Amino acid sequence: MTIHELTYALYRHVFRQDRKAVADYLSAIIALETVHVEGKHVVLKALELWATGASDTYGDARLRALAEQTGLPVCTVNQRHFIGVPNTYRVEP
C-alpha cells in the first residue's frame, strides 16, 4: 500500500509526471539489501511495468507481476489492463 501511495504522490508532486524517474527512485531504495519488502522481486517488476506504461496504475502492475510470476488467473472488470496476461477473466460489475 505504501509503494502504491508513493507512486501516486511522487508522480504528481515531485517528479512531475515522469513515471520512469519515480520507478528508478523507488527501485533504488527497494533493491537495497537492508530494505525488507515482502515479494521484493514482484514489487520491482511491478514498478518496471508501471514505468513503461504496461499498466495504468501501480495496483494493476502489481497484479500483473504476480500473475506472471505465479501463473494464477486475474479476474478483473478492466480486462484491457491485462492484455497479454494469460488466464485473465472479465468479471461483470
Side-chain angles (χ1 to χ4, degrees), residues 1 5 10 24 27 30-31 36-37 43 49 52-53 56 63 71-73 77-79 82 85-86 90 93:
M1 185 63 140
E5 291 300 322
L10 292 173
D24 289 348
S27 294
I30 292 165
H36 299 283
V37 176
V43 170
L49 291 167
T52 61
D56 290 339
L63 287 175
L72 291 172
V77 295
N78 297 314
Q79 194 170 8
F82 298 93
V85 178
R90 179 164 165 62

Side-chain angles (χ1 to χ4, degrees), residues 49-62:
L49 291 167
W50 177 76
T52 61
S55 295
D56 290 339
T57 66
Y58 174 79
D60 282 352
R62 183 162 165 72

Side-chain angles (χ1 to χ4, degrees), residues 26-88:
L26 291 175
S27 294
I29 295 168
I30 292 165
L32 293 171
E33 219 176 287
T34 54
V35 174
H36 299 283
V37 176
E38 186 176 340
K40 187 181 280 200
H41 56 286
V42 171
V43 170
L44 293 171
K45 179 65 176 179
L47 284 169
E48 176 187 324
L49 291 167
W50 177 76
T52 61
S55 295
D56 290 339
T57 66
Y58 174 79
D60 282 352
R62 183 162 165 72
L63 287 175
R64 184 182 191 111
L66 282 168
E68 289 176 359
Q69 179 207 15
T70 64
L72 291 172
V74 175
C75 298
T76 178
V77 295
N78 297 314
Q79 194 170 8
R80 64 183 170 81
H81 291 183
F82 298 93
I83 293 171
V85 178
N87 300 321
T88 299

